[in-house]
Amino acid sequence: MYENSGMGKRSNSFRGDFRSDTVTQPTEGMLQAMASTPVGDDVYGDDPAVNELQERFAALVGKEMSVFFPSGTQSNLAAILTHCGRGSDLLVGNKYHTYVFEAGGASVLGGISFTPLPTEEDGSISNENIASHVKPDDPHFPETRLLCLENTVSGNALTVDVLRENAATARKFGLGVHLDGARLFNAAIELNVNPIEIANIADTVSVCLSKGLGAPVGTLLAGPARLERSIRRNRKLLGGGMRQSGYLAAAGLYALDNHIDRLAEDHNRAKSLANSLDELAEESEIRISQNTNMVFFEPHPEDHQPLLDHLHEDGFLVTGKKPAFRFVTHLGINDQEVEMFTHSIKAFFKGK
């Protein structure tokens, strides 16, 4: 289910990359910002661009501080290690990134166990499941210390009310709350809310710069000042201390200035793609759904591999995981590429 297969590589006939919003390339303006920024040594705390990025991002999500990390996986793990000790337990949705796609790092490196909770169709988890899976105060069980939430989940933007209720349930049992907000700004744009409203439900929140925001590298982990020392220690422990990382921070600053509001364009292109493919759903009983910048397209099983091969041959890169394709729009996809991509998919089914 989780194999990284059918991903495809760029060829001379490349016409569009719909694999993920992680494939974005820095824009010309971003490259200029990176090349012209003054830098220092961030481990010593004297890189001006990193310091500015951390301060601005913390204010943007309503937290007291934030720390710049190389990756979202590392920032999530540092947050978990900050909230939990060895032998602790955390609750997490069974389809959430921290549980499924981060190599079990909390268990491997932190001695922390996962308790996965059923994920609803919209990506949420129920308050009842949170309450019923907190371990009793008994020496036979690990101590439940943390609830890990996520937004967006497979493109679904969970409402502030849903997340707030989840967090309130966790806090009744004395749990900390971490939010994997890799695409938090997509959720804020979709819900038309201030990012602070989403971030405020959690003690700590991580947000990725290298997905929809288009920076080449980096994630920020924000939270209360009382956790900063532990977060920085865990970043160092995990090998995340960087030196002249201001070049990367400059890309992040440019992204915050220029690429948040434009996420609405990605959502609109995904919606346009889904709407254009709706006729296939009616004719061939293909399942299609769209959330924020993602379109899920589930053909009949016998058509999956042939369609994947057709799209690659036609110059489009897509992920090949079954049963549903995930098509992602992003900074590197324009209206013409969406139109060509739609035409290629329709041509495949017309030629069957």
Side-chain angles (χ1 to χ4, degrees), residues 5 28 31 81 122 127 153 165 235 243 313 320 337-338:
S5 62
E28 185 61 35
L31 289 172
L81 294 176
D122 67 352
N127 297 315
V153 182
E165 290 174 6
R235 184 181 71 166
R243 299 297 179 175
E313 290 169 5
E337 287 166 331
V338 170

Side-chain angles (χ1 to χ4, degrees), residues 5-297:
S5 62
M7 299 293 281
K9 296 181 180 179
R10 287 177 184 263
S11 66
N12 293 334
S13 60
F14 173 74
R15 301 172 70 197
D17 194 337
F18 289 83
R19 291 175 296 176
S20 174
D21 44 13
T22 62
V23 303
T24 56
Q25 302 287 312
T27 62
E28 185 61 35
M30 184 179 286
L31 289 172
Q32 291 176 6
M34 295 169 70
S36 62
T37 191
V39 296
D41 188 317
D42 181 48
V43 174
Y44 286 118
D46 62 12
D47 189 295
V50 173
N51 292 338
E52 182 183 356
L53 176 64
Q54 291 171 159
E55 291 172 7
R56 285 186 52 192
F57 179 78
L60 193 58
V61 297
K63 299 297 185 186
E64 293 177 335
M65 65 86 206
S66 75
V67 179
F68 187 42
F69 280 79
S71 73
T73 295
Q74 189 181 80
S75 71
N76 285 332
L77 179 53
I80 291 170
L81 294 176
T82 295
H83 287 285
C84 301
R86 297 191 69 84
S88 298
D89 172 70
L90 67 86
L91 309 181
V92 61
N94 66 352
K95 295 182 180 178
Y96 289 4
H97 202 279
T98 47
Y99 176 62
V100 179
F101 292 113
E102 297 185 0
S107 298
V108 176
L109 301 178
I112 300 161
S113 62
F114 291 88
T115 295
L117 307 180
T119 307
E120 306 295 333
E121 188 173 347
D122 67 352
S124 65
I125 53 181
S126 74
N127 297 315
E128 292 75 18
N129 273 320
I130 294 171
S132 65
H133 284 84
V134 176
K135 305 296 186 294
D137 184 9
D138 185 306
H140 293 88
F141 305 108
E143 182 181 5
T144 307
R145 297 292 302 275
L146 180 67
L147 171 65
C148 286
L149 298 172
E150 186 171 314
N151 205 18
T152 62
V153 182
S154 297
N156 285 287
L158 302 185
T159 68
V160 175
D161 286 343
V162 165
L163 295 173
R164 187 182 291 123
E165 290 174 6
N166 285 168
T169 301
R171 291 191 175 107
K172 288 179 183 177
F173 296 92
L175 309 188
V177 179
H178 173 65
L179 175 64
D180 176 4
R183 296 182 175 90
L184 182 144
F185 290 113
N186 289 89
I189 292 291
E190 184 73 8
L191 299 172
N192 193 28
V193 300
N194 190 308
I196 291 175
E197 293 188 50
I198 300 174
N200 270 353
I201 66 95
D203 302 299
T204 53
V205 57
S206 61
V207 178
C208 190
L209 298 172
S210 61
K211 292 186 169 70
L213 296 186
V217 174
T219 288
L220 287 145
L221 175 61
R226 61 182 172 81
L227 296 182
E228 181 172 4
R229 183 175 178 84
S230 178
I231 287 171
R232 289 191 178 278
R233 175 177 287 277
N234 285 323
R235 184 181 71 166
K236 184 67 174 178
L237 174 71
L238 298 172
M242 297 182 286
R243 299 297 179 175
Q244 286 72 41
S245 49
Y247 295 115
L248 301 176
L253 286 166
Y254 185 91
L256 295 184
D257 286 337
N258 297 279
H259 292 168
I260 293 178
D261 290 342
R262 66 148 304 281
L263 290 171
E265 298 175 20
D266 299 338
H267 298 184
N268 289 336
R269 288 189 176 108
K271 188 174 298 182
S272 175
L273 173 59
N275 289 341
S276 297
L277 296 175
D278 272 347
E279 64 186 67
L280 293 176
E282 296 173 3
E283 295 171 2
S284 307
E285 298 180 350
I286 293 171
R287 298 178 62 185
I288 300 173
S289 62
Q290 177 264 327
N291 302 293
T292 58
N293 64 326
M294 299 182 186
V295 176
F296 293 87
F297 184 87

